[in-house]
Amino acid sequence: MVGESPTPKDSGPGRLDAAVAAVAGVSRRRAQRLIADGMVTLNGRVAAGSDKGKMLTPSDAVAVLPGVGWVLPEPDRPLAVLAEGDSWVAVDKPAGVAVHPLREGETGTVLNAVAGRYPQVQGVGESGGEGGLKSGVVHRLDVETSGVLLIALNEKRWQRFREAFAEHQTEKIYTAVVAGRPKAVGRADLRLAITRHKPSRVGVIPPDPEHRHFAASRRCTLNWRTTQRLTGATRLEVKLDTGFLHQIRATFAHLGHPVLGDPIYAEPDASLVSQRLMLHAASLRLDEINVVCPPSPEFTAEVTRLKRGSGD
């Protein structure tokens, strides 16, 4: 797929861009971009942009060269599609699976599976300086978090979705199980900043312009309500007003109620209560899109275990 890939012998004559689309598993438009970017060779020479419509013979050899930001399609990788529409798809991201690759040739992410079924996703987001290994991705979930993930399948949709997320025109609701007993209903309004990289950690920053992390911090708000009392824990519905790395996890840890199973923000004894991070993106609403994602059987089983003995 990436690398030396001769044109199939039984394909008969066809255009170069069509052959590249077949070889690389991408859309015709993306294939034309690869040719223009010098990422395609024809019989051992780099094809010119003007070659895109060249008619091939069965003996011609077409190769797509490895390039920065190439997502390897994995059509056989499991992918749970929740809903799809005009140039978008919403999928259920499993806990423990990354949203997109971080390096060339990486596999095993949600985007690899999406590219395997929706080849037109390749390169989406280039107008905003992304595309490549983030093709079509308009928002992210932590590796440990499960739930609704929305992917754009063309540039127009990507631009609209990014605008909606940036201007807080989305409704994002999460299910979280946190330690202890927070208030039944509450709101958090905090400044957050990334205070450590590899692995990332987010901290709450005081409203002091002199603080070393203040300039990089952002005001982040969320609301919650209790939906279930459990043994030593509480199940919450959390509605995000903003979006920030680890926002829910860092916020509730700061409030003294870390998300169960959190390897970064929970105390060691609390993190061992659950075998997975008990955080799930339950629903997403944007324009005409309204997607709901039930928690996984593993999430539900953990809630059931915690419910036993709670007295509810």
Side-chain angles (χ1 to χ4, degrees), residues 12-102:
R15 287 169 52 111
L16 175 61
D17 55 5
V20 170
V23 166
V26 299
S27 67
R28 181 76 70 90
R29 180 181 176 186
R30 177 61 176 164
Q32 293 172 352
R33 180 63 181 269
L34 290 171
I35 296 169
D37 288 346
M39 302 301 297
V40 174
T41 64
L42 175 60
N43 297 325
R45 69 168 180 84
V46 176
S50 58
D51 289 334
K52 65 183 181 182
K54 182 179 177 63
M55 298 301 293
L56 304 179
T57 67
S59 62
D60 285 324
V62 176
V64 180
L65 304 177
V68 176
W70 187 261
V71 180
L72 288 177
E74 291 189 274
D76 296 327
R77 182 169 182 80
L79 183 71
V81 174
L82 298 168
E84 57 186 312
D86 179 18
S87 302
W88 61 269
V89 61
V91 302
D92 179 2
K93 188 193 91 62
V97 177
V99 170
H100 62 82
L102 297 178

Coordinates of all heavy atoms in Angstrom, one line a residue, residues 12-102:
G12 N -6.5 -3.5 -16.5 CA -6.7 -2.9 -17.8 C -6.3 -1.5 -17.8 O -5.8 -0.9 -16.8
P13 N -6.3 -0.7 -18.9 CA -5.9 0.7 -19.0 C -6.7 1.5 -18.0 O -7.9 1.3 -17.8 CB -6.1 1.1 -20.4 CG -6.1 -0.2 -21.2 CD -6.7 -1.2 -20.2
G14 N -6.1 2.5 -17.5 CA -6.8 3.5 -16.6 C -6.0 4.7 -16.3 O -4.8 4.7 -16.7
R15 N -6.6 5.7 -15.7 CA -5.8 6.9 -15.4 C -4.9 6.7 -14.2 O -5.1 5.8 -13.3 CB -6.8 8.0 -15.0 CG -7.6 8.6 -16.2 CD -8.7 9.5 -15.7 NE -8.2 10.5 -14.8 CZ -8.2 11.8 -15.0 NH1 -8.5 12.3 -16.2 NH2 -7.7 12.7 -14.1
L16 N -3.8 7.5 -14.2 CA -2.8 7.3 -13.1 C -3.5 7.7 -11.8 O -3.2 7.0 -10.8 CB -1.6 8.3 -13.3 CG -0.6 8.4 -12.2 CD1 0.0 7.0 -12.0 CD2 0.5 9.4 -12.5
D17 N -4.3 8.7 -11.7 CA -4.9 9.1 -10.4 C -5.8 8.0 -9.9 O -5.9 7.7 -8.7 CB -5.6 10.4 -10.4 CG -6.7 10.5 -11.5 OD1 -6.9 9.5 -12.2 OD2 -7.2 11.6 -11.7
A18 N -6.5 7.3 -10.8 CA -7.4 6.2 -10.4 C -6.5 5.0 -9.8 O -6.9 4.4 -8.9 CB -8.2 5.7 -11.5
A19 N -5.4 4.8 -10.5 CA -4.5 3.7 -10.0 C -3.9 4.0 -8.7 O -3.8 3.1 -7.8 CB -3.4 3.5 -11.0
V20 N -3.5 5.3 -8.4 CA -3.0 5.7 -7.1 C -4.0 5.5 -6.1 O -3.8 5.1 -4.9 CB -2.5 7.1 -7.2 CG1 -2.1 7.7 -5.8 CG2 -1.2 7.2 -8.1
A21 N -5.3 5.9 -6.4 CA -6.4 5.8 -5.4 C -6.6 4.3 -5.0 O -6.8 4.0 -3.8 CB -7.7 6.4 -6.0
A22 N -6.4 3.4 -6.0 CA -6.6 2.0 -5.7 C -5.4 1.5 -4.9 O -5.6 0.7 -4.0 CB -6.8 1.2 -7.0
V23 N -4.2 1.9 -5.3 CA -3.0 1.4 -4.6 C -2.9 1.8 -3.2 O -2.6 1.1 -2.3 CB -1.8 1.8 -5.4 CG1 -0.5 1.6 -4.6 CG2 -1.6 1.1 -6.7
A24 N -3.3 3.1 -3.0 CA -3.1 3.7 -1.6 C -4.3 3.6 -0.8 O -4.3 3.9 0.4 CB -2.7 5.2 -1.8
G25 N -5.5 3.3 -1.4 CA -6.7 3.2 -0.6 C -7.2 4.6 -0.2 O -7.7 4.8 0.9
V26 N -7.1 5.5 -1.1 CA -7.6 6.9 -0.8 C -8.6 7.3 -1.9 O -8.8 6.7 -2.9 CB -6.4 7.9 -0.8 CG1 -5.4 7.5 0.3 CG2 -5.6 8.0 -2.1
S27 N -9.1 8.5 -1.7 CA -10.0 9.1 -2.7 C -9.3 9.6 -3.9 O -8.1 9.8 -3.9 CB -10.8 10.3 -2.1 OG -9.9 11.3 -1.8
R28 N -10.0 9.8 -5.0 CA -9.4 10.3 -6.2 C -8.7 11.6 -6.0 O -7.6 11.9 -6.5 CB -10.4 10.4 -7.4 CG -9.9 10.8 -8.7 CD -9.1 9.8 -9.4 NE -9.9 8.7 -9.9 CZ -10.6 8.7 -11.1 NH1 -10.4 9.6 -11.9 NH2 -11.3 7.6 -11.4
R29 N -9.4 12.5 -5.2 CA -8.9 13.8 -5.0 C -7.6 13.7 -4.2 O -6.6 14.5 -4.5 CB -9.9 14.6 -4.2 CG -9.5 16.0 -3.8 CD -10.6 16.7 -3.0 NE -10.1 18.1 -2.6 CZ -10.8 18.8 -1.8 NH1 -12.0 18.4 -1.3 NH2 -10.4 20.0 -1.4
R30 N -7.6 12.9 -3.2 CA -6.3 12.7 -2.4 C -5.2 12.1 -3.3 O -4.1 12.5 -3.1 CB -6.6 11.8 -1.2 CG -5.4 11.5 -0.3 CD -4.8 12.8 0.3 NE -3.7 12.5 1.2 CZ -2.8 13.4 1.6 NH1 -2.9 14.6 1.2 NH2 -1.9 13.0 2.4
A31 N -5.6 11.2 -4.2 CA -4.6 10.7 -5.1 C -3.9 11.7 -5.9 O -2.7 11.8 -6.1 CB -5.2 9.6 -5.9
Q32 N -4.8 12.7 -6.4 CA -4.2 13.8 -7.2 C -3.3 14.7 -6.4 O -2.3 15.1 -7.0 CB -5.4 14.6 -7.8 CG -6.2 13.8 -8.8 CD -7.5 14.5 -9.3 OE1 -7.8 15.6 -8.7 NE2 -8.2 14.0 -10.3
R33 N -3.6 14.8 -5.1 CA -2.7 15.6 -4.3 C -1.4 14.9 -4.1 O -0.3 15.5 -4.0 CB -3.4 15.9 -2.9 CG -2.6 16.7 -1.9 CD -2.3 18.1 -2.5 NE -1.6 18.9 -1.5 CZ -2.1 19.7 -0.6 NH1 -3.4 19.8 -0.5 NH2 -1.3 20.4 0.2
L34 N -1.4 13.6 -3.9 CA -0.2 12.8 -3.7 C 0.7 13.0 -5.0 O 1.9 13.1 -4.9 CB -0.5 11.4 -3.4 CG -1.1 11.1 -2.1 CD1 -1.6 9.6 -2.0 CD2 -0.1 11.3 -1.0
I35 N 0.1 12.9 -6.1 CA 0.8 13.0 -7.4 C 1.5 14.4 -7.4 O 2.6 14.6 -7.7 CB -0.1 12.8 -8.6 CG1 -0.6 11.4 -8.6 CG2 0.7 13.1 -9.9 CD1 -1.7 11.1 -9.6
A36 N 0.7 15.5 -7.1 CA 1.2 16.9 -7.2 C 2.3 17.1 -6.2 O 3.2 17.9 -6.4 CB 0.0 17.8 -6.9
D37 N 2.2 16.4 -5.1 CA 3.3 16.5 -4.0 C 4.5 15.7 -4.3 O 5.4 15.7 -3.4 CB 2.7 16.2 -2.6 CG 1.7 17.2 -2.1 OD1 1.7 18.3 -2.7 OD2 0.9 16.9 -1.2
G38 N 4.6 15.0 -5.4 CA 5.7 14.2 -5.7 C 5.8 12.9 -4.9 O 6.9 12.4 -4.7
M39 N 4.7 12.4 -4.5 CA 4.7 11.2 -3.6 C 4.4 9.9 -4.4 O 4.3 8.8 -3.9 CB 3.6 11.3 -2.5 CG 3.8 12.5 -1.6 SD 5.4 12.5 -0.8 CE 5.2 11.1 0.2
V40 N 4.4 10.1 -5.8 CA 4.1 8.9 -6.6 C 5.1 8.8 -7.7 O 5.6 9.8 -8.3 CB 2.7 9.2 -7.3 CG1 2.4 8.1 -8.3 CG2 1.6 9.2 -6.3
T41 N 5.5 7.5 -7.9 CA 6.4 7.2 -9.0 C 5.7 6.4 -10.1 O 4.9 5.5 -9.7 CB 7.7 6.5 -8.6 OG1 7.4 5.2 -8.1 CG2 8.5 7.3 -7.6
L42 N 6.1 6.6 -11.3 CA 5.5 5.8 -12.4 C 6.7 5.2 -13.2 O 7.6 6.0 -13.7 CB 4.7 6.7 -13.4 CG 4.2 6.1 -14.7 CD1 3.3 4.9 -14.3 CD2 3.4 7.1 -15.5
N43 N 6.8 3.9 -13.1 CA 7.9 3.2 -13.8 C 9.3 3.7 -13.3 O 10.2 3.9 -14.1 CB 7.8 3.3 -15.3 CG 6.6 2.6 -15.9 OD1 6.1 1.6 -15.3 ND2 6.0 3.2 -16.9
G44 N 9.3 4.0 -12.0 CA 10.6 4.4 -11.4 C 10.9 5.8 -11.3 O 11.9 6.3 -10.7
R45 N 10.2 6.7 -12.0 CA 10.4 8.1 -12.0 C 9.3 8.8 -11.2 O 8.1 8.4 -11.2 CB 10.5 8.7 -13.4 CG 9.2 8.7 -14.2 CD 9.3 9.5 -15.5 NE 8.1 9.5 -16.2 CZ 7.1 10.3 -16.0 NH1 7.2 11.2 -15.0 NH2 6.0 10.2 -16.7
V46 N 9.6 10.0 -10.6 CA 8.6 10.7 -9.9 C 7.6 11.3 -10.9 O 8.0 12.0 -11.9 CB 9.2 11.9 -9.1 CG1 8.1 12.7 -8.4 CG2 10.2 11.3 -8.0
A47 N 6.3 11.0 -10.7 CA 5.3 11.5 -11.6 C 5.1 13.0 -11.4 O 5.1 13.5 -10.3 CB 4.0 10.7 -11.4
A48 N 4.8 13.7 -12.5 CA 4.5 15.1 -12.4 C 3.0 15.3 -12.2 O 2.2 14.4 -12.5 CB 4.9 15.8 -13.7
G49 N 2.6 16.5 -11.7 CA 1.2 16.8 -11.4 C 0.4 16.6 -12.7 O -0.8 16.2 -12.7
S50 N 1.0 17.0 -13.8 CA 0.3 16.9 -15.1 C 0.1 15.4 -15.6 O -0.7 15.2 -16.5 CB 1.1 17.6 -16.2 OG 2.4 17.1 -16.3
D51 N 0.7 14.5 -14.9 CA 0.5 13.1 -15.2 C -0.7 12.4 -14.7 O -1.0 11.3 -14.9 CB 1.7 12.2 -14.7 CG 3.0 12.5 -15.5 OD1 2.9 12.9 -16.7 OD2 4.1 12.3 -15.0
K52 N -1.5 13.2 -13.9 CA -2.6 12.6 -13.1 C -3.6 11.9 -14.0 O -4.2 10.9 -13.7 CB -3.3 13.6 -12.3 CG -4.0 14.7 -13.1 CD -4.6 15.8 -12.1 CE -5.3 16.9 -12.9 NZ -5.9 17.9 -12.0
G53 N -3.8 12.5 -15.3 CA -4.8 11.9 -16.2 C -4.1 10.9 -17.2 O -4.8 10.5 -18.1
K54 N -2.9 10.6 -17.0 CA -2.2 9.8 -18.0 C -2.8 8.4 -18.0 O -3.0 7.8 -16.9 CB -0.7 9.7 -17.6 CG 0.2 8.8 -18.6 CD 1.6 8.8 -18.1 CE 2.5 7.9 -19.0 NZ 2.5 8.4 -20.4
M55 N -3.0 7.8 -19.2 CA -3.6 6.5 -19.3 C -2.5 5.4 -19.2 O -1.4 5.6 -19.8 CB -4.3 6.3 -20.6 CG -5.5 7.3 -20.8 SD -6.8 7.1 -19.5 CE -7.4 5.5 -19.9
L56 N -2.7 4.4 -18.3 CA -1.7 3.4 -18.0 C -2.0 2.1 -18.8 O -3.1 1.9 -19.3 CB -1.7 3.1 -16.5 CG -1.5 4.3 -15.6 CD1 -1.6 3.8 -14.1 CD2 -0.2 5.0 -15.8
T57 N -1.0 1.3 -18.9 CA -1.1 0.0 -19.4 C -0.9 -1.0 -18.3 O -0.3 -0.7 -17.3 CB -0.1 -0.3 -20.5 OG1 1.2 -0.3 -20.0 CG2 -0.2 0.8 -21.6
P58 N -1.3 -2.3 -18.4 CA -1.1 -3.2 -17.4 C 0.3 -3.4 -17.0 O 0.6 -3.9 -15.9 CB -1.7 -4.5 -18.0 CG -2.7 -4.0 -19.0 CD -2.1 -2.8 -19.6
S59 N 1.3 -3.1 -17.8 CA 2.7 -3.3 -17.5 C 3.3 -2.1 -16.7 O 4.4 -2.2 -16.2 CB 3.5 -3.5 -18.8 OG 3.5 -2.4 -19.6
D60 N 2.6 -1.0 -16.6 CA 3.1 0.2 -15.9 C 3.1 -0.1 -14.4 O 2.2 -0.8 -13.8 CB 2.2 1.4 -16.1 CG 2.5 2.0 -17.5 OD1 3.6 2.0 -18.0 OD2 1.5 2.5 -18.1
A61 N 4.2 0.3 -13.7 CA 4.3 0.1 -12.3 C 4.1 1.5 -11.5 O 4.8 2.4 -11.8 CB 5.7 -0.4 -11.9
V62 N 3.2 1.5 -10.6 CA 2.9 2.7 -9.9 C 3.3 2.5 -8.4 O 2.9 1.4 -7.8 CB 1.4 3.0 -9.9 CG1 1.0 4.2 -9.1 CG2 1.0 3.3 -11.4
A63 N 4.0 3.4 -7.8 CA 4.4 3.3 -6.4 C 4.0 4.6 -5.7 O 4.2 5.7 -6.2 CB 5.8 3.0 -6.3
V64 N 3.5 4.4 -4.5 CA 3.2 5.5 -3.6 C 4.3 5.5 -2.5 O 4.4 4.6 -1.8 CB 1.8 5.4 -3.0 CG1 1.5 6.6 -2.1 CG2 0.7 5.3 -4.0
L65 N 5.0 6.6 -2.4 CA 6.2 6.7 -1.5 C 5.7 7.0 -0.1 O 4.7 7.7 0.1 CB 7.2 7.7 -2.0 CG 7.7 7.6 -3.5 CD1 8.6 8.7 -3.8 CD2 8.4 6.2 -3.6
P66 N 6.5 6.5 0.9 CA 6.2 6.9 2.3 C 6.3 8.4 2.4 O 7.3 9.0 1.9 CB 7.2 6.1 3.1 CG 7.7 5.0 2.2 CD 7.6 5.5 0.8
G67 N 5.4 9.0 3.1 CA 5.5 10.5 3.2 C 5.0 10.9 4.6 O 4.3 10.1 5.3
V68 N 5.3 12.1 5.0 CA 5.0 12.6 6.3 C 3.5 12.6 6.4 O 2.8 13.2 5.6 CB 5.6 14.0 6.6 CG1 5.1 14.5 7.9 CG2 7.1 13.9 6.5
G69 N 2.9 12.1 7.5 CA 1.5 12.2 7.7 C 0.6 11.2 7.0 O -0.5 11.5 6.7
W70 N 1.2 10.0 6.6 CA 0.4 9.0 5.9 C -0.3 8.1 6.9 O 0.4 7.5 7.8 CB 1.3 8.3 5.0 CG 0.6 7.3 4.1 CD1 0.4 6.0 4.3 CD2 -0.1 7.6 2.9 NE1 -0.4 5.5 3.3 CE2 -0.7 6.4 2.4 CE3 -0.3 8.8 2.2 CZ2 -1.4 6.4 1.3 CZ3 -1.1 8.8 1.0 CH2 -1.6 7.6 0.6
V71 N -1.6 8.0 6.9 CA -2.3 7.1 7.8 C -2.5 5.7 7.1 O -3.1 5.6 6.0 CB -3.7 7.6 8.1 CG1 -4.4 6.7 9.1 CG2 -3.6 9.0 8.8
L72 N -1.9 4.7 7.7 CA -2.0 3.3 7.1 C -3.5 2.8 7.3 O -3.9 2.6 8.4 CB -1.0 2.4 7.7 CG 0.4 2.6 7.3 CD1 1.3 1.6 8.1 CD2 0.6 2.4 5.8
P73 N -4.2 2.5 6.2 CA -5.6 2.0 6.4 C -5.6 0.6 7.0 O -4.7 -0.2 6.6 CB -6.1 2.0 5.0 CG -5.2 2.9 4.2 CD -3.9 2.8 4.8
E74 N -6.5 0.4 7.9 CA -6.6 -1.0 8.5 C -8.1 -1.4 8.3 O -8.9 -1.3 9.3 CB -6.2 -1.0 9.9 CG -4.7 -0.9 10.2 CD -4.4 -1.1 11.6 OE1 -4.4 -0.2 12.4 OE2 -4.0 -2.3 12.0
P75 N -8.5 -1.9 7.1 CA -9.9 -2.2 6.9 C -10.4 -3.3 7.8 O -11.7 -3.4 8.0 CB -10.0 -2.5 5.4 CG -8.6 -2.9 5.1 CD -7.7 -2.1 6.0
D76 N -9.6 -4.2 8.3 CA -10.0 -5.3 9.1 C -10.0 -5.0 10.6 O -10.4 -5.8 11.4 CB -9.1 -6.5 8.8 CG -9.3 -7.0 7.4 OD1 -10.4 -6.9 6.8 OD2 -8.2 -7.5 6.9
R77 N -9.6 -3.8 11.0 CA -9.6 -3.5 12.4 C -11.0 -3.2 12.8 O -11.7 -2.5 12.1 CB -8.7 -2.3 12.7 CG -8.6 -1.9 14.1 CD -7.5 -0.9 14.4 NE -7.5 -0.6 15.9 CZ -6.9 -1.4 16.7 NH1 -6.2 -2.5 16.3 NH2 -6.9 -1.1 18.0
P78 N -11.4 -3.7 14.0 CA -12.8 -3.4 14.5 C -13.1 -1.9 14.6 O -12.3 -1.1 15.0 CB -12.8 -4.1 15.9 CG -11.8 -5.1 15.8 CD -10.7 -4.5 14.9
L79 N -14.3 -1.5 14.1 CA -14.7 -0.2 14.2 C -16.2 -0.2 14.4 O -17.0 -0.7 13.6 CB -14.4 0.6 12.9 CG -14.8 2.1 12.8 CD1 -13.8 2.9 13.8 CD2 -14.7 2.6 11.4
A80 N -16.7 0.4 15.5 CA -18.1 0.5 15.9 C -18.6 1.8 15.4 O -18.4 2.9 16.0 CB -18.3 0.3 17.4
V81 N -19.4 1.8 14.3 CA -20.0 3.1 13.7 C -21.3 3.3 14.5 O -22.2 2.5 14.4 CB -20.2 2.9 12.2 CG1 -20.9 4.2 11.7 CG2 -18.8 2.8 11.5
L82 N -21.4 4.5 15.1 CA -22.6 4.9 15.8 C -23.6 5.5 14.9 O -24.8 5.3 15.0 CB -22.3 5.8 16.9 CG -21.4 5.3 18.0 CD1 -20.9 6.4 18.9 CD2 -22.1 4.2 18.8
A83 N -23.1 6.4 14.0 CA -24.0 7.1 13.0 C -23.1 7.7 11.9 O -21.9 7.9 12.2 CB -24.8 8.2 13.7
E84 N -23.7 7.9 10.8 CA -22.9 8.6 9.7 C -23.9 9.4 8.9 O -25.1 9.1 8.8 CB -22.2 7.6 8.8 CG -23.0 6.5 8.2 CD -22.1 5.4 7.5 OE1 -21.2 5.8 6.7 OE2 -22.4 4.2 7.7
G85 N -23.4 10.4 8.2 CA -24.2 11.3 7.4 C -23.4 11.9 6.3 O -22.4 11.3 5.8
D86 N -23.8 13.0 5.8 CA -23.2 13.7 4.7 C -21.8 14.1 5.1 O -21.6 15.1 5.8 CB -24.0 14.9 4.3 CG -23.4 15.7 3.2 OD1 -22.5 15.1 2.5 OD2 -23.7 16.9 3.0
S87 N -20.8 13.3 4.7 CA -19.4 13.6 4.9 C -18.9 13.6 6.4 O -18.0 14.4 6.8 CB -19.0 15.0 4.3 OG -19.3 14.9 2.9
W88 N -19.5 12.8 7.2 CA -19.1 12.6 8.6 C -19.4 11.2 9.1 O -20.3 10.5 8.5 CB -19.7 13.7 9.5 CG -21.2 13.6 9.6 CD1 -22.1 14.3 8.8 CD2 -22.0 12.8 10.5 NE1 -23.4 14.0 9.2 CE2 -23.4 13.1 10.2 CE3 -21.7 11.9 11.5 CZ2 -24.4 12.4 10.9 CZ3 -22.7 11.3 12.2 CH2 -24.1 11.6 11.9
V89 N -18.7 10.8 10.1 CA -19.0 9.5 10.7 C -18.7 9.7 12.2 O -17.7 10.3 12.6 CB -18.2 8.4 10.1 CG1 -16.7 8.6 10.2 CG2 -18.6 7.0 10.7
A90 N -19.5 9.1 13.0 CA -19.3 9.1 14.5 C -19.1 7.6 14.9 O -19.9 6.8 14.6 CB -20.6 9.7 15.2
V91 N -18.0 7.4 15.7 CA -17.7 6.0 16.1 C -17.5 6.0 17.6 O -17.4 7.0 18.3 CB -16.4 5.6 15.4 CG1 -16.5 5.7 13.9 CG2 -15.2 6.4 15.9
D92 N -17.6 4.7 18.1 CA -17.4 4.5 19.5 C -15.9 4.1 19.7 O -15.5 3.1 19.4 CB -18.3 3.3 19.9 CG -18.2 3.0 21.4 OD1 -17.4 3.6 22.1 OD2 -18.8 2.0 21.8
K93 N -15.2 5.1 20.3 CA -13.8 4.8 20.6 C -13.6 4.0 21.8 O -14.1 4.3 22.9 CB -13.0 6.1 20.8 CG -11.5 5.9 20.9 CD -10.8 7.1 21.4 CE -10.6 7.1 22.9 NZ -9.8 6.0 23.4
P94 N -13.0 2.8 21.7 CA -12.8 2.0 22.9 C -11.8 2.6 23.9 O -10.9 3.3 23.4 CB -12.2 0.6 22.3 CG -12.5 0.7 20.8 CD -12.4 2.2 20.5
A95 N -11.9 2.3 25.1 CA -10.9 2.7 26.1 C -9.6 2.0 25.8 O -9.6 0.8 25.4 CB -11.3 2.3 27.5
G96 N -8.5 2.7 25.9 CA -7.2 2.1 25.7 C -6.7 2.2 24.2 O -5.6 1.7 23.9
V97 N -7.5 2.8 23.4 CA -7.1 3.0 22.0 C -6.9 4.4 21.6 O -7.8 5.3 22.0 CB -8.2 2.3 21.0 CG1 -7.8 2.6 19.6 CG2 -8.3 0.9 21.3
A98 N -5.8 4.8 21.0 CA -5.5 6.2 20.6 C -6.4 6.6 19.5 O -6.8 5.8 18.7 CB -4.1 6.3 20.2
V99 N -6.7 7.9 19.4 CA -7.5 8.4 18.3 C -6.8 8.4 17.0 O -7.4 8.0 16.0 CB -7.9 9.9 18.6 CG1 -8.6 10.5 17.4 CG2 -8.9 9.9 19.8
H100 N -5.5 8.8 16.9 CA -4.8 8.8 15.7 C -3.3 8.5 15.9 O -2.8 8.6 17.0 CB -4.9 10.2 15.0 CG -4.3 11.3 15.9 ND1 -3.0 11.6 15.8 CD2 -4.9 12.2 16.7 CE1 -2.7 12.6 16.7 NE2 -3.9 13.0 17.2
P101 N -2.6 8.1 14.8 CA -1.2 7.8 14.9 C -0.4 9.0 15.3 O -0.8 10.2 15.0 CB -0.8 7.3 13.6 CG -2.1 7.1 12.8 CD -3.1 8.0 13.4
L102 N 0.7 8.8 15.9 CA 1.7 9.9 16.3 C 2.9 9.9 15.4 O 3.6 10.8 15.4 CB 2.1 9.8 17.7 CG 1.0 9.9 18.8 CD1 1.6 9.7 20.2 CD2 0.3 11.3 18.7

